Amino acid sequence: MKINGTSLHSCQAMGRLNPVLRCLGGIMLLAANSAMAREYYFSPSSLEGEALQRQNVDLSLFSRSGAQLPGAYLCTVVLNKDRQDDETISFISGKQGQLEPQITPAMLRKWGVKVDRFPALAALPAKKPLPGSLGNHIPFAVATFDFETLTLRISMPQEAINSQSRGYIDPSRWDDGMPVAFADYAFSGTQNEGHAISNRENQYLNLRSGINIGGWRARNYSTWNKTDDAASWRSINTYLQHDIDSLKAQFTAGENSTQGEVFDSLQYRGVNIVSDEEMLPYSQRGFAPVIRGIASTNAEVSVRQNGYVIYQQNVAPGAFEINDIYSTTNSGDLEVTVKEADGTEHRFTQPYSSVAVMQRPGKVKYEMTAGRYRAGNNSDASEPLFVQGSAIYGVNNLMTLFGGVTHSQDYRAINGGTGVTLGELGTVSADVTAAWATLDNGKQSDGQSYRLLYSGKLTATETNFTLASYRYSTEGYYSFEDANQKYDDEDNAWLFRYNKRNRLQASISQNLFGSSLYLNGYQQDYWATDKKERSVSAGVSTLIGKTSVHLAWTYSKATDSESDQMISLSLSVPLSEWLPRAWANYNFSDSKQGYASHNLGINGTLLDDERLSYSLQQSHTNHDGDDNSSLYGSYRSQYASLNAGYYYSSDSSRQFSYGVNGGLVAHPNGITLSQPLGDQFAIVNASGASGIRFVNQRGVATDWQGNAIIPSLSAYQENSIRIDTTSLPEDVDTDETAVTVVPSRSAAVSAEFTAHVGYRALIRLRRPDGNLIPFGAMATSESPAMNAIVDDTGTLYLAGVPEQFSLKVKWGNDASQTCSARVQLDSAKHTANPAGIRTAEALCQQEQHRGH
């Protein structure tokens, strides 16, 4: 019997030799393992046969275990099993072809290595690669690279690593930025026409300008307002500021405001030193409020603090939310005015105060000020010299002590208090301020003010208390601001004569059955009068199917005016199935005066990065029975943020609103226009390449000089700036796509990208004998500097090249294995390629050597 041609007898015979076969098999297995341990030579003829073998191409790099092409790779960095931020690192070929990372001292600092502990290492240039291996500079340190996962693993002795909190940024990495002069502006205007109202025009400019030189910051904050023919210009504050790194504090000289954590915030003209908590990592950190309201038409929202207009913006009809207030103080109530297109106004007060602050054990937060008090705008008050100091100290995990003193010629106050953590219930603090004042009329007055603050969350009910506070003042107590009011025997001086008694404020939010509820309110009353200030707002938001529903109610009562109330209902329905990135909305509002309005509209965004937004609205009001139509749009360009709106009423009145917000920055690389800057910003230079966009930066792109501004960076934290490679112009390519910057307070930092302005090209290379350049040959260009590998069809791909350039090609060590080519791109052949890739064929000629 045979099985596949083999007799059963033969099989039985082999079975009898089984012990021998097992022995031979073991010997062969050991031999195979030994062979596998050796480096094998990969024959090029396996790819292209004898033709390639005759050209003697050197592909030995690819035959070595672990060998890869050198270059820059975006890597995952793992230090002692702790993952760091991704980093683009350059690699060179080692002796055996393996990739060796080009690690710099700056990278080591970034990863938390104690570079200064090794003097020879600290003396090396921060951004140049270490000579030799990492272990030559830090004993027992090893860096290995896994190419398959693009992971750089670093083993580092524990004593060489900073024992810092999570998120720690070494102060040596804080960047004071480059010298710049800038202006950050917000300009808005409205023009009203119609027979029902008089023609009027209003314009407003909010201007923050500054100069940065080294670590010094000079700032001015001013506003300009024009109504018809009357215009006014006011400077709110001017100051000079500098970091004090060793104290984790800021030094300020000029006009500014105190923090207001122990005492009420005061405006001053003098000097101030205050601890800066943002210099600490997030894990070691212990408020401008969000303003919500309702607009019935295209409206103008103004926010005043201490009598100054600090914010003004045009909003579309419906509910609005303001969360980008640039406040001049850390406390001081905000007066919000909503001016409708028909001229009607609604006012309410947004309480603004600091929360109870608990400090970690042993941590101190402090502030010291010496200067002259600055009264609020249009305030008739004395402006004496004063000194003030305060401190908050963490005793242990449960208790914080705080206190302070204020002293001037006619006023003295001392404060003391404690904060206690309630665990899951939050934090509560209680303090008392005793004050002795000589008033403007010569009267001596003294008293006390007792304050209770609470912030936290009731876990059982998921109730969030953003801020809840109560203050009781005795009849003889005057705050420093109130004590400096002047007395003129007029009725409008009643705040001087009727000092504050009780003040209660709270901000509460609650999630219930999938809905979000909030309640904000405050009440202030006074001694010797029954007049009160009161403001309350409440609302609920929920989702029914895909429809968002918001119901809100507001109430406000000032001391010298009647109360005002408004209720509103808002519905928002996504229209993505018919119109991408669009929503239909309906708003209803009704006020105490009986003014009711219905509004129906469509909102949405357009363009690839949603930098264009629009709003179409139609409304009806029972006030004179008017029907109103409005159009509002905003556009984020690389030069500024623009907005415009048009409103028309059935009574033939109309309003046109417009605005532009942006920045202008003069820096060593030129002058750049931008979107609003924020406190810290980056100046990108992309080697003259224009049109480069960035990830998560709507509308931002490099200008004709190759510069761009990335606004609103986080101080003392890593900020990653990434190029949007999907939107690169067809004639631009870049070696790196991400840069990380760490700006100090108010810095303008530099972010450099090496961009190649040129074309993408496929180039086929031939030799004079007609043969293609062999697979694996390395082609290099000196101008621009780049390299690429020839594929199996004699073709290589290059990006960022000009129409004419030269190449040097090498595929071995012999002189006959080197040639040079002059490339001329064919502009006609790239049009059919959707990626805009140009093509070319070039003759690669052997270089002529002396003696030949």
Side-chain angles (χ1 to χ4, degrees):
M1 179 178 178
K2 291 185 178 181
I3 301 176
N4 293 334
T6 303
S7 67
L8 181 60
H9 176 76
S10 298
C11 292
Q12 293 172 344
M14 291 181 66
R16 291 193 295 269
L17 296 176
N18 191 40
V20 178
L21 292 177
R22 288 180 180 178
C23 181
L24 291 175
I27 294 173
M28 295 175 64
L29 182 60
L30 291 174
N33 286 337
S34 176
M36 291 177 65
R38 296 196 307 268
E39 184 178 280
Y40 273 92
Y41 174 70
F42 177 78
S43 174
S45 63
S46 301
L47 289 175
E48 294 189 1
E50 294 301 321
L52 181 60
Q53 191 176 31
R54 286 195 299 269
Q55 299 183 77
N56 196 26
V57 62
D58 184 7
L59 295 180
S60 59
L61 171 67
F62 301 99
S63 68
R64 300 171 188 166
S65 175
Q68 294 292 341
L69 287 175
Y73 297 95
L74 180 62
C75 308
T76 298
V77 180
V78 179
L79 177 67
N80 290 1
K81 298 184 179 181
D82 291 331
R83 178 168 177 171
Q84 310 295 316
D85 290 336
D86 292 352
E87 187 85 24
T88 299
I89 300 176
S90 297
F91 291 83
I92 61 174
S93 292
K95 294 181 180 179
Q96 300 300 321
Q98 75 278 10
L99 294 182
E100 296 183 352
Q102 298 296 280
I103 298 174
T104 67
M107 292 177 184
L108 295 175
R109 288 186 185 275
K110 178 180 178 180
W111 300 330
V113 177
K114 296 178 181 177
V115 173
D116 295 327
R117 184 167 181 172
F118 307 92
L121 176 60
L124 296 174
K127 296 187 178 181
K128 289 189 177 180
L130 302 178
S133 67
L134 181 60
N136 293 342
H137 304 275
I138 302 177
F140 307 108
V142 178
T144 57
F145 182 55
D146 183 349
F147 184 81
E148 291 184 0
T149 60
L150 291 179
T151 301
L152 178 63
R153 302 184 188 277
I154 300 176
S155 175
M156 186 72 60
Q158 196 62 39
E159 61 180 7
I161 300 176
N162 286 310
S163 178
Q164 300 291 349
S165 305
R166 183 176 295 274
Y168 172 79
I169 304 294
D170 193 299
S172 64
R173 297 181 57 207
W174 296 350
D175 189 352
D176 286 334
M178 61 173 63
V180 297
F182 70 88
D184 195 7
Y185 62 89
F187 176 77
S188 61
T190 57
Q191 185 171 346
N192 296 273
E193 298 177 354
H195 72 274
I197 56 175
S198 59
N199 294 346
R200 64 181 185 274
E201 183 177 2
N202 179 66
Q203 294 176 326
Y204 172 80
L205 174 66
N206 186 306
L207 181 66
R208 278 197 318 123
S209 54
I211 297 175
N212 288 5
I213 300 177
W216 290 98
R217 322 284 188 229
R219 296 290 185 268
N220 175 263
Y221 182 25
S222 299
T223 62
W224 176 80
N225 190 71
K226 180 179 182 295
T227 304
D228 295 329
D229 296 329
S232 62
W233 179 274
R234 296 187 181 277
S235 177
I236 296 179
N237 57 39
T238 302
Y239 60 89
L240 189 67
Q241 194 171 71
H242 197 286
D243 288 358
I244 307 178
D245 295 351
S246 59
L247 299 179
K248 297 292 188 291
Q250 295 289 335
F251 167 80
T252 302
E255 302 168 330
N256 212 322
S257 302
T258 62
Q259 295 290 301
E261 292 188 317
V262 174
F263 293 104
D264 292 338
S265 179
L266 299 176
Q267 297 185 101
Y268 67 85
R269 184 182 294 109
V271 294
N272 171 272
I273 296 177
V274 59
S275 53
D276 189 346
E277 201 171 50
E278 290 193 12
M279 290 183 173
L280 303 174
Y282 285 114
S283 59
Q284 290 294 305
R285 298 180 188 177
F287 139 70
V290 175
I291 298 175
R292 296 181 176 91
I294 307 157
S296 300
T297 62
N298 280 3
E300 177 187 271
V301 179
S302 303
V303 181
R304 288 178 173 82
Q305 188 178 47
N306 296 319
Y308 295 103
V309 178
I310 63 169
Y311 185 94
Q312 184 168 302
Q313 183 63 53
N314 300 315
V315 299
F320 63 85
E321 181 179 287
I322 298 173
N323 55 14
D324 58 348
I325 292 289
Y326 184 85
S327 182
T328 57
T329 65
N330 284 343
S331 65
D333 294 344
L334 306 179
E335 180 186 344
V336 184
T337 302
V338 182
K339 189 174 184 179
E340 304 288 356
D342 60 2
T344 59
E345 295 184 358
H346 306 286
R347 290 187 176 90
F348 61 91
T349 300
Q350 172 66 55
Y352 183 18
S353 181
S354 300
V355 299
V357 178
M358 291 295 293
Q359 291 294 302
R360 294 172 182 268
K363 297 291 185 180
V364 178
K365 193 173 184 180
Y366 59 89
E367 181 173 17
M368 295 174 288
T369 307
R372 185 175 295 278
Y373 169 66
R374 295 176 65 217
N377 188 35
N378 299 324
S379 175
D380 188 15
S382 301
E383 295 186 333
L385 294 171
F386 77 99
V387 293
Q388 185 180 87
S390 63
I392 306 172
Y393 174 70
V395 178
N396 52 39
N397 288 331
L398 300 177
M399 179 179 292
T400 293
L401 298 179
F402 60 90
V405 294
T406 301
H407 179 79
S408 71
Q409 182 178 356
D410 295 323
Y411 185 87
R412 288 174 296 131
I414 184 169
N415 172 280
T418 183
V420 178
T421 180
L422 304 178
E424 294 183 355
L425 297 179
T427 303
V428 63
S429 70
D431 66 283
V432 58
T433 304
W436 299 265
T438 300
L439 305 180
D440 183 60
N441 59 3
K443 176 185 175 182
Q444 301 288 327
S445 184
D446 60 80
Q448 299 81 42
S449 179
Y450 303 89
R451 179 176 58 170
L452 184 69
L453 296 173
Y454 171 76
S455 62
K457 179 178 181 179
L458 300 180
T459 307
T461 59
E462 293 294 317
T463 303
N464 292 283
F465 290 86
T466 306
L467 173 67
S469 71
Y470 173 74
R471 179 189 286 273
Y472 171 79
S473 303
T474 63
E475 189 170 5
Y477 174 82
Y478 284 84
S479 68
F480 185 65
E481 181 180 3
D482 291 342
N484 284 296
Q485 291 290 328
K486 292 187 175 180
Y487 178 69
D488 56 12
D489 282 330
E490 294 183 5
D491 290 341
N492 59 11
W494 75 275
L495 281 174
F496 175 87
R497 292 180 282 114
Y498 306 123
N499 49 311
K500 297 172 183 176
R501 182 177 181 177
N502 290 290
R503 178 185 176 97
L504 175 66
Q505 71 181 71
S507 178
I508 305 171
S509 63
Q510 173 76 56
N511 291 323
L512 187 65
F513 302 122
S515 301
S516 176
L517 296 84
Y518 69 88
L519 173 65
N520 303 318
Y522 98 106
Q523 177 174 295
Q524 174 74 64
D525 58 22
Y526 300 82
W527 286 98
T529 180
D530 59 357
K531 293 184 177 181
K532 290 182 173 64
E533 294 178 0
R534 187 178 295 157
S535 177
V536 182
S537 62
V540 57
S541 299
T542 190
L543 194 64
I544 302 176
K546 294 183 178 181
T547 302
S548 176
V549 181
H550 181 72
L551 179 65
W553 170 78
T554 62
Y555 170 89
S556 62
K557 171 70 171 67
T559 56
D560 53 356
S561 63
E562 295 184 359
S563 63
D564 187 19
Q565 297 183 58
M566 178 178 286
I567 188 171
S568 71
L569 172 67
S570 300
L571 306 176
S572 180
V573 183
L575 302 177
S576 55
E577 294 184 3
W578 304 278
L579 187 62
R581 302 194 301 270
W583 300 263
N585 58 79
Y586 168 76
N587 298 289
F588 166 77
S589 62
D590 191 8
S591 68
K592 179 181 178 181
Q593 288 76 15
Y595 294 163
S597 68
H598 301 265
N599 183 281
L600 184 64
I602 296 177
N603 300 314
T605 59
L606 297 172
L607 304 182
D608 54 351
D609 59 355
E610 302 185 48
R611 60 186 180 273
L612 176 63
S613 62
Y614 62 90
S615 172
L616 305 172
Q617 306 289 332
Q618 180 67 39
S619 62
H620 172 79
T621 64
N622 65 351
H623 179 49
D624 298 330
D626 294 335
D627 292 316
N628 311 305
S629 302
S630 65
L631 170 65
Y632 182 85
S634 63
Y635 178 75
R636 291 189 178 187
S637 78
Q638 67 187 82
Y639 304 112
S641 295
L642 311 173
N643 65 79
Y646 180 76
Y647 163 90
Y648 179 80
S649 177
S650 57
D651 66 357
S652 298
S653 63
R654 54 188 178 271
Q655 179 195 76
F656 176 66
S657 63
Y658 51 89
V660 54
N661 304 341
L664 184 150
V665 183
H667 52 89
N669 296 324
I671 297 177
T672 305
L673 296 173
S674 75
Q675 296 178 12
L677 298 172
D679 287 330
Q680 300 80 222
F681 55 91
I683 303 171
V684 173
N685 180 265
S687 308
S690 63
I692 295 178
R693 295 186 184 178
F694 302 89
V695 176
N696 297 327
Q697 298 290 337
R698 284 189 289 172
V700 177
T702 54
D703 60 15
W704 62 277
Q705 295 178 307
N707 298 323
I709 304 296
I710 306 296
S712 302
L713 303 181
S714 298
Y716 311 109
Q717 299 298 316
E718 291 183 342
N719 298 262
S720 180
I721 300 172
R722 295 182 178 273
I723 289 178
D724 183 0
T725 56
T726 63
S727 63
L728 281 175
E730 70 173 53
D731 62 343
V732 175
D733 194 44
T734 179
D735 294 337
E736 52 188 346
T737 60
V739 170
T740 299
V741 295
V742 184
S744 61
R745 171 77 61 197
S746 304
V749 295
S750 174
E752 301 284 341
F753 288 92
T754 303
H756 305 294
V757 180
Y759 302 99
R760 298 179 177 91
L762 289 171
I763 304 159
R764 174 169 286 188
L765 298 172
R766 290 185 181 274
R767 302 178 66 185
D769 58 6
N771 289 328
L772 296 173
I773 297 297
F775 169 74
M778 179 68 71
T780 60
S781 169
E782 294 184 357
S783 180
M786 58 182 64
N787 57 69
I789 296 177
V790 176
D791 71 4
D792 58 344
T793 65
T795 305
L796 70 149
Y797 170 79
L798 292 172
V801 296
E803 289 189 351
Q804 294 183 354
F805 60 98
S806 297
L807 287 174
K808 185 175 181 179
V809 185
K810 184 177 181 181
W811 60 94
N813 295 321
D814 295 338
S816 60
Q817 294 174 308
T818 302
C819 63
S820 298
R822 182 69 178 170
V823 180
Q824 171 69 53
L825 297 184
D826 191 337
S827 59
K829 292 185 179 180
H830 83 285
T831 55
N833 192 309
I837 299 177
R838 300 196 175 199
T839 59
E841 292 193 2
L843 185 64
C844 195
Q845 297 183 336
Q846 184 176 349
E847 295 183 355
Q848 298 297 322
H849 298 278
R850 293 179 182 178
H852 291 271

PDB file of all heavy atoms in Angstrom, residues 143-155:
ATOM      1  N   ALA A 143      18.745  55.176  26.414  1.00  0.00           N
ATOM      2  CA  ALA A 143      17.640  55.534  25.525  1.00  0.00           C
ATOM      3  C   ALA A 143      17.566  54.499  24.409  1.00  0.00           C
ATOM      4  O   ALA A 143      18.555  54.245  23.717  1.00  0.00           O
ATOM      5  CB  ALA A 143      17.845  56.933  24.949  1.00  0.00           C
ATOM      6  N   THR A 144      16.413  53.880  24.239  1.00  0.00           N
ATOM      7  CA  THR A 144      16.188  52.908  23.174  1.00  0.00           C
ATOM      8  C   THR A 144      14.976  53.316  22.364  1.00  0.00           C
ATOM      9  O   THR A 144      14.006  53.851  22.910  1.00  0.00           O
ATOM     10  CB  THR A 144      15.978  51.493  23.750  1.00  0.00           C
ATOM     11  OG1 THR A 144      14.871  51.516  24.669  1.00  0.00           O
ATOM     12  CG2 THR A 144      17.222  51.027  24.475  1.00  0.00           C
ATOM     13  N   PHE A 145      15.024  53.013  21.065  1.00  0.00           N
ATOM     14  CA  PHE A 145      13.954  53.438  20.157  1.00  0.00           C
ATOM     15  C   PHE A 145      13.321  52.226  19.501  1.00  0.00           C
ATOM     16  O   PHE A 145      14.002  51.389  18.902  1.00  0.00           O
ATOM     17  CB  PHE A 145      14.524  54.379  19.099  1.00  0.00           C
ATOM     18  CG  PHE A 145      13.490  54.917  18.143  1.00  0.00           C
ATOM     19  CD1 PHE A 145      12.363  55.574  18.616  1.00  0.00           C
ATOM     20  CD2 PHE A 145      13.648  54.780  16.773  1.00  0.00           C
ATOM     21  CE1 PHE A 145      11.411  56.075  17.752  1.00  0.00           C
ATOM     22  CE2 PHE A 145      12.706  55.285  15.895  1.00  0.00           C
ATOM     23  CZ  PHE A 145      11.582  55.934  16.387  1.00  0.00           C
ATOM     24  N   ASP A 146      12.000  52.124  19.628  1.00  0.00           N
ATOM     25  CA  ASP A 146      11.224  51.069  18.983  1.00  0.00           C
ATOM     26  C   ASP A 146      10.590  51.661  17.733  1.00  0.00           C
ATOM     27  O   ASP A 146       9.622  52.416  17.814  1.00  0.00           O
ATOM     28  CB  ASP A 146      10.157  50.546  19.946  1.00  0.00           C
ATOM     29  CG  ASP A 146       9.361  49.384  19.354  1.00  0.00           C
ATOM     30  OD1 ASP A 146       9.500  49.121  18.140  1.00  0.00           O
ATOM     31  OD2 ASP A 146       8.595  48.751  20.098  1.00  0.00           O
ATOM     32  N   PHE A 147      11.158  51.324  16.569  1.00  0.00           N
ATOM     33  CA  PHE A 147      10.697  51.950  15.331  1.00  0.00           C
ATOM     34  C   PHE A 147       9.273  51.529  14.975  1.00  0.00           C
ATOM     35  O   PHE A 147       8.501  52.319  14.446  1.00  0.00           O
ATOM     36  CB  PHE A 147      11.649  51.598  14.179  1.00  0.00           C
ATOM     37  CG  PHE A 147      11.293  52.290  12.883  1.00  0.00           C
ATOM     38  CD1 PHE A 147      11.674  53.601  12.650  1.00  0.00           C
ATOM     39  CD2 PHE A 147      10.558  51.635  11.904  1.00  0.00           C
ATOM     40  CE1 PHE A 147      11.347  54.243  11.468  1.00  0.00           C
ATOM     41  CE2 PHE A 147      10.216  52.263  10.726  1.00  0.00           C
ATOM     42  CZ  PHE A 147      10.615  53.578  10.508  1.00  0.00           C
ATOM     43  N   GLU A 148       8.915  50.273  15.271  1.00  0.00           N
ATOM     44  CA  GLU A 148       7.590  49.789  14.888  1.00  0.00           C
ATOM     45  C   GLU A 148       6.478  50.582  15.556  1.00  0.00           C
ATOM     46  O   GLU A 148       5.434  50.843  14.965  1.00  0.00           O
ATOM     47  CB  GLU A 148       7.459  48.304  15.226  1.00  0.00           C
ATOM     48  CG  GLU A 148       8.331  47.406  14.372  1.00  0.00           C
ATOM     49  CD  GLU A 148       8.085  45.939  14.670  1.00  0.00           C
ATOM     50  OE1 GLU A 148       7.227  45.661  15.539  1.00  0.00           O
ATOM     51  OE2 GLU A 148       8.741  45.087  14.050  1.00  0.00           O
ATOM     52  N   THR A 149       6.694  50.976  16.805  1.00  0.00           N
ATOM     53  CA  THR A 149       5.677  51.747  17.533  1.00  0.00           C
ATOM     54  C   THR A 149       6.054  53.223  17.654  1.00  0.00           C
ATOM     55  O   THR A 149       5.319  53.992  18.272  1.00  0.00           O
ATOM     56  CB  THR A 149       5.462  51.176  18.941  1.00  0.00           C
ATOM     57  OG1 THR A 149       6.694  51.233  19.672  1.00  0.00           O
ATOM     58  CG2 THR A 149       4.982  49.742  18.864  1.00  0.00           C
ATOM     59  N   LEU A 150       7.226  53.584  17.071  1.00  0.00           N
ATOM     60  CA  LEU A 150       7.736  54.960  17.163  1.00  0.00           C
ATOM     61  C   LEU A 150       7.734  55.436  18.619  1.00  0.00           C
ATOM     62  O   LEU A 150       7.201  56.489  18.955  1.00  0.00           O
ATOM     63  CB  LEU A 150       6.908  55.918  16.287  1.00  0.00           C
ATOM     64  CG  LEU A 150       7.049  55.740  14.774  1.00  0.00           C
ATOM     65  CD1 LEU A 150       6.151  56.724  14.041  1.00  0.00           C
ATOM     66  CD2 LEU A 150       8.495  55.909  14.335  1.00  0.00           C
ATOM     67  N   THR A 151       8.325  54.626  19.486  1.00  0.00           N
ATOM     68  CA  THR A 151       8.380  54.925  20.914  1.00  0.00           C
ATOM     69  C   THR A 151       9.829  55.029  21.364  1.00  0.00           C
ATOM     70  O   THR A 151      10.616  54.099  21.147  1.00  0.00           O
ATOM     71  CB  THR A 151       7.664  53.844  21.731  1.00  0.00           C
ATOM     72  OG1 THR A 151       6.301  53.746  21.311  1.00  0.00           O
ATOM     73  CG2 THR A 151       7.703  54.176  23.222  1.00  0.00           C
ATOM     74  N   LEU A 152      10.180  56.141  21.976  1.00  0.00           N
ATOM     75  CA  LEU A 152      11.498  56.322  22.565  1.00  0.00           C
ATOM     76  C   LEU A 152      11.377  56.067  24.059  1.00  0.00           C
ATOM     77  O   LEU A 152      10.687  56.794  24.773  1.00  0.00           O
ATOM     78  CB  LEU A 152      12.011  57.747  22.315  1.00  0.00           C
ATOM     79  CG  LEU A 152      13.369  58.086  22.936  1.00  0.00           C
ATOM     80  CD1 LEU A 152      14.471  57.218  22.334  1.00  0.00           C
ATOM     81  CD2 LEU A 152      13.700  59.564  22.767  1.00  0.00           C
ATOM     82  N   ARG A 153      12.040  55.018  24.514  1.00  0.00           N
ATOM     83  CA  ARG A 153      11.983  54.644  25.922  1.00  0.00           C
ATOM     84  C   ARG A 153      13.297  55.046  26.587  1.00  0.00           C
ATOM     85  O   ARG A 153      14.380  54.658  26.123  1.00  0.00           O
ATOM     86  CB  ARG A 153      11.743  53.141  26.082  1.00  0.00           C
ATOM     87  CG  ARG A 153      10.459  52.676  25.409  1.00  0.00           C
ATOM     88  CD  ARG A 153      10.182  51.207  25.658  1.00  0.00           C
ATOM     89  NE  ARG A 153       9.056  50.749  24.865  1.00  0.00           N
ATOM     90  CZ  ARG A 153       7.786  50.896  25.222  1.00  0.00           C
ATOM     91  NH1 ARG A 153       7.506  51.499  26.374  1.00  0.00           N
ATOM     92  NH2 ARG A 153       6.794  50.467  24.452  1.00  0.00           N
ATOM     93  N   ILE A 154      13.168  55.790  27.681  1.00  0.00           N
ATOM     94  CA  ILE A 154      14.347  56.279  28.400  1.00  0.00           C
ATOM     95  C   ILE A 154      14.317  55.720  29.813  1.00  0.00           C
ATOM     96  O   ILE A 154      13.334  55.894  30.539  1.00  0.00           O
ATOM     97  CB  ILE A 154      14.378  57.819  28.432  1.00  0.00           C
ATOM     98  CG1 ILE A 154      14.416  58.380  27.003  1.00  0.00           C
ATOM     99  CG2 ILE A 154      15.567  58.326  29.231  1.00  0.00           C
ATOM    100  CD1 ILE A 154      14.363  59.877  26.942  1.00  0.00           C
ATOM    101  N   SER A 155      15.396  55.046  30.164  1.00  0.00           N
ATOM    102  CA  SER A 155      15.572  54.571  31.533  1.00  0.00           C
ATOM    103  C   SER A 155      16.518  55.537  32.226  1.00  0.00           C
ATOM    104  O   SER A 155      17.653  55.740  31.783  1.00  0.00           O
ATOM    105  CB  SER A 155      16.142  53.140  31.535  1.00  0.00           C
ATOM    106  OG  SER A 155      16.424  52.726  32.852  1.00  0.00           O
TER     107      SER A 155
END
